[in-house]
Amino acid sequence: MSRIGKLPIDMPKGVTVTMNGQELTVKGPKGELKQTINPAITVEVKDGQVHVSRPNDEKENRAMHGLYRALIHNMIVGVSEGYKKTLELVGVGYRASNNGQVLELSLGYTHNIFVKLAPEIKVETKSERNQNPLVMLESCDKQLLGQVCAKLRSFRKPEPYKGKGVKFVGEQIRRKAGKSAGAK
């Protein structure tokens, strides 16, 4: 049995989980999420817990068992607590500002980068003197939030020599020594 798949998922107060055919819907104070479930996987809601089970021990069913349990858990945590990620812009002249759902990034290119974010994502930018600009993103959908963060990071990945670029707050960048002067 899958170690992750066999664990029951506790539902916090204010969260409802409903199964309609193969579509699972999770509603909570932060929003509503939907996920299509593989027909081989069975999802049951009883006694304030969600149980995920599989019909047999075939390799594909074992993989799907743990996957769907993790996805449902992420959905429940998302609609009850939400997910937050903070990106830091490290570099001289790097700036970030937002106008509603449009994020404007100045990352050392000849032009500014404008990114229109999905309505499910709340964005906030923070620029203080003598500190790196921060972009705070919040959403109930963990997958969407990670995808948007990866897209923003891809505009200017942190480089190993000076550490410039877009990075997560708290992320350790592996640094390299530059070329040594006068080596023979």
Side-chain angles (χ1 to χ4, degrees):
M1 189 104 184
S2 167
R3 288 186 196 181
I4 296 204
K6 69 181 176 182
L7 297 173
I9 307 165
D10 293 324
M11 288 193 309
K13 290 180 181 169
V15 175
T16 59
V17 177
T18 55
M19 192 74 178
N20 185 11
Q22 294 303 317
E23 186 169 81
L24 182 93
T25 306
V26 180
K27 291 181 186 175
K30 297 265 183 179
E32 177 181 340
L33 295 172
K34 295 183 180 196
Q35 175 69 44
T36 305
I37 305 292
N38 189 319
I41 302 299
T42 308
V43 178
E44 295 175 336
V45 181
K46 57 184 175 186
D47 301 331
Q49 291 185 328
V50 179
H51 297 275
V52 182
S53 59
R54 63 176 186 244
N56 53 34
D57 281 347
E58 288 181 17
K59 187 173 183 176
E60 186 177 335
N61 289 339
R62 288 194 321 250
M64 292 293 163
H65 188 203
L67 168 74
Y68 282 113
R69 192 268 178 203
L71 288 175
I72 294 168
H73 175 74
N74 289 343
M75 291 167 68
I76 290 173
V77 171
V79 298
S80 61
E81 300 167 21
Y83 290 100
K84 293 180 184 175
K85 296 231 181 192
T86 306
L87 295 169
E88 182 179 11
L89 281 58
V90 181
V92 177
Y94 287 11
R95 289 187 303 278
S97 64
N98 69 307
N99 185 7
Q101 289 299 99
V102 177
L103 180 67
E104 180 182 355
L105 300 171
S106 177
L107 299 174
Y109 295 115
T110 57
H111 58 283
N112 290 349
I113 299 169
F114 294 90
V115 181
K116 185 164 178 10
L117 299 173
E120 296 90 19
I121 294 184
K122 293 178 188 149
V123 64
E124 184 183 337
T125 56
K126 185 174 169 185
S127 297
E128 292 183 10
R129 195 174 175 98
N130 296 330
Q131 288 187 345
N132 294 326
L134 298 175
V135 177
M136 279 96 52
L137 300 166
E138 187 177 347
S139 178
C140 63
D141 191 345
K142 187 175 186 181
Q143 180 191 357
L144 179 66
L145 184 65
Q147 190 175 355
V148 169
C149 287
K151 181 68 176 172
L152 295 177
R153 193 172 186 268
S154 73
F155 292 133
R156 184 73 86 175
K157 285 189 179 164
E159 52 95 15
Y161 297 103
K162 291 184 179 179
K164 291 170 46 172
V166 179
K167 67 178 190 122
F168 292 103
V169 169
E171 179 183 5
Q172 295 293 319
I173 305 299
R174 198 165 195 193
R175 302 294 292 269
K176 291 182 181 178
K179 60 182 181 183
S180 56
K184 294 185 180 182

